[in-house]
Amino acid sequence: EYDCVSHSYTMALQSLVSPLALLSCERQCASFCSSFVILPNAIPQTAKKLESLWDDTVTELIATTPLCRKGMNDALTGELETAVNCFIMLWVHKKVMKSLISFQESIDSRIRQTVTNPATAELIDVRKDLLCPFALSCAELYKLNVCESPMDMMVCLHNTSKFIVDDIQNSCASGVGNLSTQSTDSDRFVLTTDDILSITLLLMTRVDIQHPTAFLLFMKHFTFSRTLHTKYGFFVATYEACVNWFESQTQGTAPPTPSLDARSFQISSSFFQKKPRQPQPPLLAAPSAKPSQRHRNIPSDASAPGTTSTSVTGTVPLTIDLEPSPKQQQQKRSLSFLDKY
């Protein structure tokens, strides 16, 4: 079982707007599922069709919902866009995933054969002092098989990396790990991006991910909001690097160890921790979405409110969500279901 973030978003959206406001979107989703034909070489076109529906729905909700019309700003617009993205993808999940799985069946079959080959794990260069059972991480990564939306998959990948840190710290605290307890102190213990990458590769040899490339396409093509431009995009990039490495292994062309452009960015355990919150009513606050330039006059290159950019050597800045401002916390309604992640 897993916490379905998309279901939480959908319920919040349905409580925020009238049933009639979503009726047109539901009818078009139903029509898409019953009559639209997804072709193997037309995945981007399929995503574009659903993105157009998403864009029109958000615009209509902003125009027809009193609460949205009165108090919309960059942050709330992004939250609404993410909620609608989840709403649509839950509707069409079965049809889209069935097609992606069928199209990628041959590649995924070869990757799974490579992943389950004991010789593959020996090629993965994980720092010896970081090795441990990774029980929590494996259990979390396995949930990727049952996620129903791109948002759920990205949360799953984020949580997997969080549990990697937890597993190492817990193993050292119990005397199982290879690092000293002092080394895993929450203020000192850091993992580089290459550490996260190599450990994720190792986890994928231990976990049966049923459709690795189909899941990747699902996240990359059917995320219409700006979520890929937040910290979740980093974890999707890590997963993509792992999938590409295993795919190269099936062709005998993979390097001994993959690398995320030789990044020097380091991840500490505090990266996954949030400060205690004061009690507040249910909100509409999720990762900010990329606004549509066609309908909503919001700068697409601006960082989302409540975020900061951490520079990574030789790469574009990595956006990491921080605590919302007091003003954002006082919003009467907001989607804050990702706060616990």
Side-chain angles (χ1 to χ4, degrees), residues 37 55 69 81 169-170 179 215 281 300 330 340:
V37 178
D55 192 16
R69 191 168 58 248
E81 290 177 342
Q169 290 181 320
N170 294 340
L179 286 176
F215 293 158
S300 62
Q330 292 172 0
K340 58 184 175 181

Side-chain angles (χ1 to χ4, degrees), residues 127 134 140 260 271 324:
R127 280 169 46 191
F134 293 115
E140 185 66 24
L260 285 177
F271 176 79

Side-chain angles (χ1 to χ4, degrees), residues 92-144:
V92 303
H93 165 261
K94 290 184 178 180
K95 181 180 182 71
V96 172
M97 276 307 306
K98 182 179 179 180
S99 299
L100 292 177
I101 290 170
S102 175
F103 302 155
Q104 301 298 116
E105 182 178 7
S106 177
I107 297 175
D108 282 341
S109 178
R110 292 198 303 270
I111 289 178
R112 292 181 70 187
Q113 289 178 4
T114 300
V115 166
T116 56
N117 186 343
T120 302
E122 298 177 1
L123 297 174
I124 302 172
D125 185 19
V126 180
R127 280 169 46 191
K128 303 301 181 185
D129 56 348
L130 298 179
L131 289 173
C132 69
F134 293 115
L136 294 175
S137 309
C138 288
E140 185 66 24
L141 184 59
Y142 183 78
K143 295 177 184 178
L144 201 64

Side-chain angles (χ1 to χ4, degrees), residues 71-193:
M72 291 307 289
N73 53 31
D74 283 12
L76 291 179
T77 299
E79 295 156 6
L80 179 65
E81 290 177 342
T82 302
V84 175
N85 195 164
C86 292
F87 178 82
I88 292 174
M89 293 318 299
L90 286 177
W91 252 99
V92 303
H93 165 261
K94 290 184 178 180
K95 181 180 182 71
V96 172
M97 276 307 306
K98 182 179 179 180
S99 299
L100 292 177
I101 290 170
S102 175
F103 302 155
Q104 301 298 116
E105 182 178 7
S106 177
I107 297 175
D108 282 341
S109 178
R110 292 198 303 270
I111 289 178
R112 292 181 70 187
Q113 289 178 4
T114 300
V115 166
T116 56
N117 186 343
T120 302
E122 298 177 1
L123 297 174
I124 302 172
D125 185 19
V126 180
R127 280 169 46 191
K128 303 301 181 185
D129 56 348
L130 298 179
L131 289 173
C132 69
F134 293 115
L136 294 175
S137 309
C138 288
E140 185 66 24
L141 184 59
Y142 183 78
K143 295 177 184 178
L144 201 64
N145 293 314
V146 295
C147 291
E148 298 180 328
S149 77
M151 186 74 249
D152 292 335
M153 290 183 177
M154 287 184 280
V155 170
C156 177
L157 294 176
H158 168 271
N159 289 347
T160 297
S161 293
K162 175 184 181 297
F163 284 131
I164 287 174
V165 177
D166 292 346
D167 278 333
I168 295 173
Q169 290 181 320
N170 294 340
S171 295
C172 293
S174 62
V176 177
N178 297 318
L179 286 176
S180 65
T181 305
Q182 291 79 7
S183 300
T184 57
D185 182 87
S186 60
D187 295 328
R188 300 179 182 178
F189 178 55
V190 295
L191 295 175
T192 66
T193 52

Side-chain angles (χ1 to χ4, degrees), residues 274 277 280 283 285-286 323-324 335-341:
K274 287 184 176 289
R277 289 177 173 271
Q280 54 178 318
L283 307 179
E323 289 295 307
L335 285 168
S336 62
F337 298 103
L338 288 184
D339 292 343
K340 58 184 175 181
Y341 301 101

Side-chain angles (χ1 to χ4, degrees), residues 53 57 67 72 138 167 223 242 272 299 301 327:
L53 171 59
T57 302
L67 181 60
M72 291 307 289
C138 288
D167 278 333
T223 300
C242 293
F272 301 99
D301 58 347
K327 182 178 180 180

Side-chain angles (χ1 to χ4, degrees), residues 184-302:
T184 57
D185 182 87
S186 60
D187 295 328
R188 300 179 182 178
F189 178 55
V190 295
L191 295 175
T192 66
T193 52
D194 283 345
D195 290 331
I196 291 289
L197 180 58
S198 59
I199 293 173
T200 303
L201 280 169
L202 183 63
L203 297 182
M204 291 179 69
T205 65
R206 300 179 180 182
V207 176
D208 181 19
I209 299 179
Q210 297 170 5
H211 313 288
T213 63
F215 293 158
L216 179 60
L217 291 175
F218 191 54
M219 287 184 282
K220 291 186 65 178
H221 287 289
F222 296 93
T223 300
F224 311 133
S225 61
R226 197 197 267 185
T227 311
L228 285 175
H229 296 266
T230 68
K231 64 182 178 182
Y232 294 97
F234 166 76
F235 299 108
V236 174
T238 300
Y239 176 75
E240 181 177 13
C242 293
V243 171
N244 290 341
W245 187 79
F246 283 119
E247 185 176 358
S248 298
Q249 278 289 346
T250 66
Q251 303 166 0
T253 60
T257 54
S259 175
L260 285 177
D261 300 325
R263 300 185 189 203
S264 61
F265 178 68
Q266 294 181 327
I267 299 177
S268 66
S269 55
S270 61
F271 176 79
F272 301 99
Q273 297 172 354
K274 287 184 176 289
K275 298 178 181 179
R277 289 177 173 271
Q278 296 181 352
Q280 54 178 318
L283 307 179
L284 218 186
S288 295
K290 183 177 182 181
S292 166
Q293 294 299 313
R294 186 159 56 122
H295 295 294
R296 294 176 285 282
N297 187 22
I298 303 172
S300 62
D301 58 347

